[in-house]
Amino acid sequence: MSQLELNPHPHSERLTLFADVLLPVPIPRLFTYRVPFELTDDVRAGVRVIVPFGSKKILTGVIERVHEQPPREYEAKYVAEVLDEGPVVQPMQFPFLHWMADYYMCTAGEVLNAALPAGLKLSSQSRIALKPEFDRETTDWEFVEREEIILDALIQTESLTYSEVMDLLGIKSIHPLLKSLLGKGCIIVFEEVQDKYKPKVIKKVRLTPAYSGSVANLEALFEKLPEKQEGILLRYLQSVPVYQNAAANEGGLEKKVFTKGDFSPSSLKTLIKNGIFEEFEQITSRFAPIQAEEYSIVLSEHQAAAKTQIMDHFAEKDVVLLQGVTGSGKTEVYIDIIREVLDSGSQVLYLLPEIALTAQTVDRLRRVFGDRVGVYHSRFSDNERVEVWQGLLSGRFHFIVGVRSAIFLPFDNLGLIVVDEEHEASYKQYDPAPRYHARDSAMVLARTHQAKVLLGSATPSVESYHMAREGKFGWVKLTQRFGGATLPTVQLVNMTEERKQKTVKEDFSSVLIGHIEQALRVGEQVILFQNRRGYSYYLNCTQCDWVPRCPNCDVSLTYHQYLNQAQCHYCGYHERVPSECPDCGSTEIKRVGFGTEKLEEDLKLFVEDARVARMDLDTTRKKNSYNLLIDDFEEGRVQVLVGTQMVTKGLDFDNVSLVGIFDTDRMLHFPDFRSHERTLQLLTQVSGRAGRRELPGKVIVQTHNPEQHVLSWVTSHNYEGFLEEQIEERRTFHYPPFYRLIRVILRDKDKDKVERAAIILAKTMSPKLGRSLLGPQEPFVGRIRNLFLMHLIVKLERNAVSLTAVKQYLREQAQSLTDQPEFRSVSIHFDVDPQ
């Protein structure tokens, strides 16, 4: 902890060094600071520093460059403090951060803010204290009652935070009082900086040197110790073999050992007080040590051939696409290649699209690689993420498994990046900036390190497939399932016909119910997929058509029966479900549509004694909830798993013979040029959970229109045929991969203002961009968190125009618009390669 007064730094030192500091602010530049003489030996690229910013703020930034050139435009302020002994950001990371800022049209400061884990960002808090020279007895100033209360409190304590002053006075606005006390010369205002990262510390005890180094003294103790104290000593000697090895005493024993069972805390306290034991603290890792098992990977003939082809491609190309059907054993191929890269001394990054995929994958990787594996995702605490960051810097970890933010970790010798399920939309960051795509960014990161990239998927994206087909990526196929398993049979069920015949139970067709009962009868397991959580889509009054809507977003509220709440899935707003309609007073309120919660409830009614569990965002908020659900399903304690997209990705269960898919039509008809691609990917991926071993698999797809052409690709397992068709459509209608897209997003609290701003911006840019500019238009959800949105889309033919020049033009026009007084409140952001 350090305290920094917001006063000018004294200029008495002879200073020669300057530091260009990258600050986590949305300003597109570095800031140059003067280095005080006493910090000259401490500054270097990559270390964090505390610097003043503006008249009152202090910020934590990272030094990018140290030099001897003072800035010409302004007088440099002083670096206040250096926080690290060595770099926390590697020199190789800076070019990558600046590339990301340039490509995704944001600032390097915004990228840094996304890159650093929260535990490495310092928090600052304004505090007040009495001015050292202030003498209350001799001052001529008079004070009002509230000022007197503040001064009395400051005499009793060293300093107070703003919030503590508010609580003390019971008021919300204290700034006039503080301004008055500052004017009277009574107080100073300073920033207290608190490092968020705290290492894990365990309390331990050990024998003092007088006893650990003398067997005679130790033996004599037993003659005089009371029974309870003697029991503590015996327990210590059982665990720490001091007789055989006196040096073992150095590590001691955890104090908590003596807080269990029959041990007396007061007896231990007495032993410490009498100088027999001493207490000490030890910093330890939050990650338990894991030993690699004797886990041999024996590749099948097809897997071995695929690996050979991948390595051959790597001799000529930097990126290879491994297209393997679900259950073909892509992970084993990854592991074999990863082992070779690690053995060569290089680092490996293994990207997964979501946390849900990490549990099974990480367990498998740790069995092979043990403690060399670090895991990095948002369900870890701030402190755990900092430990992974520092573990990579220290060399403890050589292999990282993580979600998209793992591309920001401080690698210095990266040899391979594996992007598993490369087609997943979860690799795209939407808000806040940088709005990056981890798959595409990983390729740039790999070039920085001269590393290779292995993309893997059973359902590759149109863009990756096209690059492979054109020969820009290496392309390897695994067309057979591991162990001779066959692809599941896919059956389309016509829900319109079933409803006419009245054979539907709630949202379950008779076909699906029959197959579920049959699977459970023979001890097999079932996965049910519905891409919507909650109980029902929304509530609706049958008398006046009232629907509860979010006050902050333009969406209806989703009904969650378990909580008896209607929730907004955009901003988190929720409200209790009324017993009667607030508009007309009717109690006839029906539930419209269905989500995973309702499917779970209905299934328990329709299939007697079925052990059902649900995997969605609502049931997996806790840190280890994914792992527990997966363990329960894997061990057979759960027979039917109902879930959202989480159940479609990468899970591998031996005993699943049936997959049921709901609400296919809604996904297919979503207004987006990628909707067919995404739906086919989801259907193919979730279908791939069935029949992965010797069990034959069956997939039931419920639809109101089984004649839809796009569904024929699912039943025939011809995903490549679908991709070929999509590529021709994209070429015809000018979409990726033949055109680049940039979405211009305008936001404001005033709907009329943001609409006017979008129209003016479009008219201004239209003469230059012509048909490349589409819009403006209101997006599918036109208001989120009380901000109204308007979109413009810029379509650019690949290699036909200068992308850099167009981006610069867009920035200039956006800046020109927001410089106008009328539109200063309008925020304009850019989403490059929107998904």
Side-chain angles (χ1 to χ4, degrees):
M1 182 185 294
S2 62
Q3 294 183 355
L4 304 171
E5 291 191 25
L6 298 178
N7 294 326
H9 197 289
H11 286 241
S12 57
E13 298 93 339
R14 182 169 172 264
L15 304 171
T16 55
L17 292 184
F18 294 84
D20 291 341
V21 180
L22 182 55
L23 295 174
V25 294
I27 301 173
R29 50 171 289 193
L30 299 175
F31 295 84
T32 303
Y33 287 86
R34 189 182 291 264
V35 180
F37 183 72
E38 64 270 19
L39 298 180
T40 297
D41 294 336
D42 301 326
V43 294
R44 68 197 69 180
V47 300
R48 293 174 303 153
V49 289
I50 297 175
V51 293
F53 187 76
S55 59
K56 294 184 178 180
K57 282 187 177 181
I58 63 166
L59 293 174
T60 307
V62 176
I63 294 179
E64 185 166 331
R65 190 169 73 97
V66 179
H67 55 88
E68 298 180 8
Q69 299 298 318
R72 294 180 179 178
E73 303 85 5
Y74 55 90
E75 184 177 349
K77 296 181 179 180
Y78 284 82
V79 171
E81 189 173 341
V82 178
L83 296 170
D84 307 301
E85 293 182 3
V88 297
V89 175
Q90 298 282 14
M92 299 181 79
Q93 288 181 269
F94 289 112
F96 178 64
L97 298 180
H98 286 289
W99 168 84
M100 183 171 281
D102 180 61
Y103 185 81
Y104 289 105
M105 299 181 71
C106 60
T107 67
E110 289 173 306
V111 180
L112 178 69
N113 198 40
L116 286 178
L120 288 179
K121 302 172 195 171
L122 297 192
S123 60
S124 65
Q125 190 174 45
S126 296
R127 300 184 75 93
I128 62 170
L130 289 175
K131 204 169 185 178
E133 59 268 30
F134 172 67
D135 187 342
R136 194 172 179 185
E137 300 299 324
T138 59
T139 184
D140 294 330
W141 290 104
E142 293 185 1
F143 303 103
V144 299
E145 182 182 357
R146 283 175 172 168
E147 290 175 338
E148 293 276 9
I149 293 172
I150 293 172
L151 294 175
D152 287 341
L154 289 173
I155 290 171
Q156 300 297 322
T157 187
E158 185 180 336
S159 64
L160 293 170
T161 66
Y162 280 18
S163 58
E164 286 170 341
V165 176
M166 291 178 199
D167 292 341
L168 180 69
L169 300 176
I171 59 176
K172 291 184 178 180
S173 178
I174 60 170
H175 292 284
L177 287 168
L178 298 186
K179 185 176 179 182
S180 173
L181 290 171
L182 282 166
K184 294 171 183 177
C186 308
I187 63 170
I188 58 171
V189 176
F190 64 92
E191 290 287 312
E192 179 182 67
V193 180
Q194 178 73 50
D195 196 335
K196 289 183 179 179
Y197 172 66
K198 293 181 180 177
K200 183 179 179 181
V201 175
I202 56 174
K203 292 184 176 181
K204 304 181 86 174
V205 294
R206 62 189 169 202
L207 289 169
T208 56
Y211 296 98
S212 63
S214 171
V215 174
N217 288 349
L218 202 53
E219 295 288 354
L221 269 179
F222 286 101
E223 303 296 326
K224 57 183 181 181
L225 286 180
E227 184 179 347
K228 288 186 177 180
Q229 293 179 28
E230 184 182 277
I232 289 174
L233 181 58
L234 283 169
R235 176 67 179 86
Y236 182 84
L237 294 174
Q238 285 171 357
S239 300
V240 184
V242 176
Y243 284 118
Q244 293 82 14
N245 179 15
N249 183 65
E250 187 68 22
L253 193 62
E254 283 194 56
K255 190 177 177 182
K256 68 180 183 182
V257 170
F258 303 107
T259 61
K260 303 171 184 175
D262 298 329
F263 297 112
S264 165
S266 60
S267 296
L268 179 60
K269 195 172 182 181
T270 302
L271 287 168
I272 294 169
K273 183 180 178 182
N274 292 338
I276 297 167
F277 279 105
E278 61 183 5
E279 190 174 359
F280 67 103
E281 292 183 342
Q282 186 179 77
I283 294 176
T284 187
S285 172
R286 288 179 166 83
F287 302 107
I290 299 170
Q291 292 298 320
E293 300 175 5
E294 292 296 325
Y295 187 82
S296 60
I297 299 290
V298 179
L299 300 183
S300 69
E301 181 184 346
H302 297 286
Q303 289 171 321
K307 183 204 165 185
T308 300
Q309 291 175 51
I310 290 167
M311 302 309 287
D312 289 344
H313 280 303
F314 276 154
E316 298 178 356
K317 300 182 187 297
D318 292 332
V319 183
V320 175
L321 172 64
L322 174 59
Q323 182 181 349
V325 297
T326 54
S328 58
K330 293 185 291 296
T331 305
E332 283 72 22
V333 177
Y334 300 154
I335 289 173
D336 214 44
I337 296 173
I338 288 167
R339 180 186 278 138
E340 289 187 14
V341 175
L342 291 175
D343 288 346
S344 74
S346 296
Q347 299 164 325
V348 175
L349 171 60
Y350 188 130
L351 289 176
L352 291 163
E354 287 192 23
I355 304 163
L357 282 178
T358 61
Q360 280 191 319
T361 305
V362 168
D363 285 346
R364 193 181 306 181
L365 293 171
R366 279 181 166 162
R367 287 201 297 272
V368 180
F369 300 106
D371 275 346
R372 290 193 288 177
V373 181
V375 183
Y376 195 78
H377 59 62
S378 59
R379 288 295 170 94
F380 274 3
S381 68
D382 291 342
N383 286 328
E384 286 171 324
R385 275 179 278 175
V386 172
E387 282 204 19
V388 175
W389 186 285
Q390 293 180 337
L392 195 58
L393 286 169
S394 68
R396 176 187 172 187
F397 298 127
H398 301 274
F399 177 17
I400 299 294
V401 182
V403 292
R404 62 174 181 254
S405 58
I407 63 171
F408 296 118
L409 284 164
F411 296 97
D412 64 350
N413 184 29
L414 197 55
L416 174 69
I417 302 177
V418 176
V419 185
D420 198 13
E421 309 295 350
E422 65 82 27
H423 65 277
E424 273 290 339
S426 307
Y427 282 125
K428 173 72 174 179
Q429 161 75 12
Y430 290 97
D431 274 316
R435 295 168 181 84
Y436 66 97
H437 197 296
R439 177 197 61 215
D440 301 342
S441 300
M443 296 182 206
V444 177
L445 178 64
R447 284 202 298 272
T448 305
H449 289 263
Q450 296 183 320
K452 303 297 183 182
V453 178
L454 179 57
L455 308 178
S457 177
T459 54
S461 62
V462 171
E463 289 86 347
S464 294
Y465 178 83
H466 177 68
M467 294 291 277
R469 194 179 71 157
E470 293 292 302
K472 294 178 181 177
F473 293 171
W475 191 9
V476 178
K477 299 181 184 179
L478 266 173
T479 57
Q480 295 191 5
R481 284 189 148 188
F482 184 78
T486 57
L487 289 169
T489 303
V490 180
Q491 179 179 349
L492 304 180
V493 175
N494 190 329
M495 293 298 287
T496 302
E497 289 299 316
E498 284 241 352
R499 290 192 188 281
K500 283 181 183 176
Q501 295 169 16
K502 297 183 179 180
T503 53
V504 174
K505 291 184 177 180
E506 291 293 334
D507 301 293
F508 288 82
S509 65
S510 60
V511 175
L512 181 55
I513 286 289
H515 277 88
I516 291 172
E517 291 173 338
Q518 171 63 23
L520 298 188
R521 253 196 312 272
V522 296
E524 295 166 0
Q525 291 174 297
V526 179
I527 289 178
L528 300 179
F529 168 59
Q530 160 64 339
N531 202 25
R532 186 116 184 189
R533 64 188 172 99
Y535 190 87
S536 60
Y537 298 169
Y538 58 90
L539 300 171
N540 177 230
C541 174
T542 59
Q543 299 302 311
C544 71
D545 213 31
W546 166 82
V547 172
R549 300 189 66 83
C550 176
N552 309 314
C553 311
D554 277 345
V555 293
S556 57
L557 299 178
T558 301
Y559 174 55
H560 290 253
Q561 180 171 268
Y562 175 71
L563 298 169
N564 194 32
Q565 286 181 351
Q567 294 183 353
C568 174
H569 289 174
Y570 284 86
C571 71
Y573 171 83
H574 57 86
E575 59 185 39
R576 302 293 289 179
V577 175
S579 56
E580 59 183 40
C581 174
D583 282 4
C584 70
S586 169
T587 57
E588 298 296 317
I589 298 175
K590 67 177 181 179
R591 301 155 184 166
V592 179
F594 61 97
T596 50
E597 191 180 343
K598 185 173 188 297
L599 291 180
E600 178 190 25
E601 179 188 90
D602 290 345
L603 189 62
K604 289 176 180 177
L605 294 174
F606 302 151
V607 182
E608 192 175 344
D609 298 327
R611 299 189 299 276
V612 185
R614 174 164 49 96
M615 181 185 280
D616 57 26
L617 187 61
D618 297 321
T619 62
T620 55
R621 292 184 187 277
K622 293 181 180 178
K623 183 175 178 180
N624 294 315
S625 49
Y626 288 106
N627 305 43
L628 294 173
L629 268 172
I630 289 169
D631 286 349
D632 284 346
F633 195 60
E634 203 160 28
E635 297 298 323
R637 291 185 289 273
V638 168
Q639 297 170 296
V640 185
L641 188 63
V642 181
T644 54
Q645 290 190 39
M646 293 178 186
V647 302
T648 71
K649 301 169 185 176
L651 299 178
D652 187 2
F653 301 109
D654 294 351
N655 199 37
V656 174
S657 64
L658 177 67
V659 166
I661 301 173
F662 295 80
D663 216 6
T664 310
D665 307 311
R666 184 177 61 87
M667 294 187 288
L668 281 171
H669 298 137
F670 189 80
D672 184 275
F673 77 93
R674 298 184 195 273
S675 62
H676 283 189
E677 178 189 2
R678 290 215 173 112
T679 303
L680 261 290
Q681 286 166 345
L682 279 171
L683 296 182
T684 304
Q685 290 286 342
V686 73
S687 299
R689 302 314 110 202
R692 293 175 74 92
R693 297 297 181 269
E694 63 273 4
L695 282 177
K698 180 82 173 180
V699 180
I700 306 295
V701 180
Q702 296 190 164
T703 173
H704 286 89
N705 184 9
E707 302 303 317
Q708 293 175 89
H709 172 62
V710 70
L711 292 179
S712 66
W713 301 118
V714 183
T715 56
S716 63
H717 297 291
N718 187 6
Y719 185 71
E720 267 193 50
F722 166 73
L723 288 177
E724 292 289 342
E725 184 177 86
Q726 279 289 294
I727 283 174
E728 291 312 308
E729 282 190 17
R730 301 275 184 94
R731 193 195 307 271
T732 302
F733 295 106
H734 298 172
Y735 280 108
F738 304 101
Y739 278 69
R740 294 183 184 274
L741 302 182
I742 300 175
R743 179 183 290 143
V744 185
I745 306 164
L746 296 89
R747 293 186 175 104
D748 195 84
K749 291 182 178 179
D750 185 324
K751 184 175 184 180
D752 291 337
K753 184 186 291 186
V754 77
E755 287 178 352
R756 286 199 311 275
I759 291 168
I760 290 171
L761 186 60
K763 284 182 178 178
T764 304
M765 298 193 302
S766 184
K768 185 159 186 175
L769 296 178
R771 292 183 179 180
S772 298
L773 181 66
L774 304 178
Q777 66 179 26
E778 185 177 339
F780 187 68
V781 179
R783 180 171 58 107
I784 297 176
R785 292 185 171 89
N786 274 325
L787 291 174
F788 292 93
L789 288 85
M790 292 294 290
H791 287 176
L792 300 168
I793 296 288
V794 180
K795 278 187 176 182
L796 303 170
E797 188 175 358
R798 280 186 181 270
N799 306 320
V801 295
S802 168
L803 184 62
T804 301
V806 172
K807 287 178 179 178
Q808 183 59 31
Y809 177 71
L810 293 176
R811 287 192 192 96
E812 289 170 356
Q813 297 307 311
Q815 186 64 53
S816 177
L817 181 74
T818 54
D819 282 345
Q820 298 177 32
E822 180 186 0
F823 298 119
R824 279 179 186 158
S825 65
V826 177
S827 64
I828 301 178
H829 305 288
F830 303 96
D831 186 4
V832 180
D833 303 333
Q835 296 293 303

